[in-house]
Amino acid sequence: MQRLYRKRIVLGVGGGIAAYKSAELVRRLRTYGAEVRVIMTQGGREFITPLTLQALSGHPVHLDLLDPAAEAAMGHIELARWADLVLIAPATADLMARLSQGVANDLLTTVVLATDAPVALAPAMNQAMWRDPATLANTELLKSRGFRLFGPASGSQACGDVGMGRMLEPDDLAQLAADCFARQSLTGQHMLITAGPTQENIDPVRYITNHSSGKMGFALAEAAVEAGARVTLVTGPVHLPTPDRVSRVDVVSARDMLAACEAAMPCDVLIAAAAVADYRPEVIAPHKLKKDPSSGDGLLLQMVRNPDILATLARRSDRPFSVGFAAETEHLLDYASRKLMDKNLDLIVANDVANPAIGFNSEDNAVSVIDRDLQETRFAQTSKGKIARQLIDFIANRLKQAQTHA
Ligand code: C5P
């Protein structure tokens, strides 16, 4: 149950008699250290009062999508982002039907649609409703889309029937919620992640940089924390909030980034997602450069190579499991494989930055991961948050294999 410690659970309470058990479920989840925010549907409120769940969760219950006060406090998108897990208990036949169709006509269904977090459903309904072909088809569709089903159980029902459709008991639900974090595959591991661009100064007012937004590196840091890692995020200048529970070090130039990474060593895993400038001006002019009439219309800037942060750390004797990124505009897999070998990496994540939908500064990504056997694993286009989770799972698996064979 320690898997629930500090986990953030949005508990959706639908309109079924089993809603009375949700009160106990909130208590259990909190006992195990989870933070719980409750969303109630209109139906849920007919069975149990928001005040009960507010008192037990320690936070106001979220009720309406269109409530300006509630939206100002923690809006539906914030709630969706906040969640490590969305657990809907009870999940009624109606809720499941709406979710299966992607309907977003109240706060709970909207949060489900907006979240990147896993969503688990604890169905609770009359046995005939559970057996109905429509419910069965909706359940199959939900499962195929990655929703997790907790139960239902079989037994006597509030309506007097006996059969499948009883909601699982709060203890069982808390256990299953904890199991959702079984991919705490990185517990105890220190992960060092580089992100963003670097800035290489020319003079006190000018610099050379690139279009990296840092989104992928930040999404990886968040996913790694969720997977239980202790994360140090060394980032160039970006406009992104620090993901919770991540220790962030801000740097400007490539040399600063290398120094910050060296200071953060040792680590078990290094993911170099930063777009580091390969060259920097040989000298940083102490004063603002002036237009020089004697050099005509041109300006020659002498550049020198920056250190390769990833290659430097991947060659140390306390070398971490090393993962690089290859952002390329052509010959993606060729160039990526070469970098994997040249930089002595375990894995390289190749992405095609020529495609604006998945390139620098975009919301989405689609990548291929190449290993030392030059085997390629593809991850289809989706949000950077989802890709990050998939990548972290993949890396955690490979790390485990590497550690058991070491
Ligand atoms: O050689 P290239 O810049 O394409 O390699 C990309 C990979 O190497 C990325 O993982 C990037 O973060 C890392 N890198 C680095 N230091 C550099 C250049 C690249 O860590 N100076």
Side-chain angles (χ1 to χ4, degrees), residues 194-196 198 200 254-255 257-258 261 270-279 305-313 323-328 335 339 343 345 347-349:
T194 67
T198 62
E200 307 298 334
R255 286 188 297 176
M257 189 174 269
L258 176 59
C261 287
L270 164 68
I271 306 183
V276 183
D278 290 324
Y279 295 91
R305 277 299 283 271
N306 262 329
D308 190 310
I309 299 161
L310 175 57
T312 307
L313 299 179
V323 184
F325 269 72
E328 303 291 348
Y335 286 166
K339 273 176 200 169
K343 298 189 189 218
L345 309 181
L347 298 172
I348 192 146
V349 183

Side-chain angles (χ1 to χ4, degrees), residues 216-391:
M216 195 62 226
F218 276 58
L220 285 163
E222 196 166 343
V225 162
E226 271 172 33
R230 175 166 72 83
V231 177
T232 307
L233 176 64
V234 178
T235 178
V238 293
H239 301 282
L240 293 172
T242 311
D244 267 353
R245 299 164 279 180
V246 164
S247 123
R248 168 174 175 169
V249 184
D250 285 290
V251 297
V252 176
S253 70
R255 286 188 297 176
D256 296 345
M257 189 174 269
L258 176 59
C261 287
E262 284 174 332
M265 288 289 282
C267 68
D268 302 286
V269 183
L270 164 68
I271 306 183
V276 183
D278 290 324
Y279 295 91
R280 66 175 184 277
E282 186 171 28
V283 285
I284 302 173
H287 301 291
K288 186 180 167 192
L289 291 177
K290 294 288 176 205
K291 287 185 270 299
D292 177 2
S294 69
S295 65
D297 283 339
L299 168 72
L300 265 183
L301 207 54
Q302 184 65 36
M303 306 278 280
V304 291
R305 277 299 283 271
N306 262 329
D308 190 310
I309 299 161
L310 175 57
T312 307
L313 299 179
R315 287 206 184 91
R316 282 170 56 132
S317 56
D318 59 352
R319 165 185 195 282
F321 185 89
S322 302
V323 184
F325 269 72
E328 303 291 348
T329 54
E330 54 178 3
H331 309 303
L332 185 63
L333 298 178
D334 261 10
Y335 286 166
S337 321
R338 205 170 309 161
K339 273 176 200 169
L340 174 88
M341 292 306 175
D342 289 350
K343 298 189 189 218
N344 193 29
L345 309 181
D346 296 281
L347 298 172
I348 192 146
V349 183
N351 65 332
D352 176 4
V353 284
N355 177 349
I358 57 170
F360 276 165
N361 214 358
S362 61
E363 292 305 320
D364 274 11
N365 208 349
V367 298
S368 280
V369 181
I370 299 160
D371 64 17
R372 291 181 76 88
D373 298 327
L374 302 187
Q375 290 296 320
E376 181 194 350
T377 308
R378 287 169 194 241
F379 296 87
Q381 181 177 341
T382 182
S383 70
K384 285 184 172 169
K386 284 192 178 138
I387 286 270
R389 282 205 177 89
Q390 294 168 8
L391 281 176

